[in-house]
């Protein structure tokens, strides 16, 4: 989980965490979309980019 908590410079915190922390999507059914991910894809990264 350490990798999920430490995104590199230039990466989005939410995208990184959702990619590397399997527990976030564990409860989703097969082919079920993650609502925070869909919202993030539609609305962008905002101020979540690591500088």
């Amino acid at each position: 989980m350490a990798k999920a908590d430490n995104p590199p410079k230039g990466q989005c915190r939410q995208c990184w965490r959702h990619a590397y922390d399997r527990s976030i999507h564990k409860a989703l059914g097969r082919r079920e979309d993650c609502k925070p991910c869909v919202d993030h894809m539609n609305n962008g990264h905002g101020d979540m980019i690591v500088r």
Side-chain angles (χ1 to χ4, degrees):
M1 173 102 131
K3 187 170 187 168
D5 292 331
N6 192 20
K9 187 176 182 178
Q11 295 296 317
C12 171
R13 289 177 178 90
Q14 180 177 327
C15 290
W16 192 262
R17 179 148 200 150
H18 281 235
Y20 289 100
D21 185 353
R22 293 177 183 245
S23 68
I24 292 172
H25 296 131
K26 189 175 183 178
L28 294 175
R30 184 179 171 114
R31 300 188 53 87
E32 182 180 356
D33 290 329
C34 171
K35 290 181 190 217
C37 285
V38 171
D39 178 65
H40 195 70
M41 285 187 288
N42 291 328
N43 296 310
H45 301 286
D47 62 348
M48 295 186 196
I49 303 295
V50 176
R51 300 199 188 278

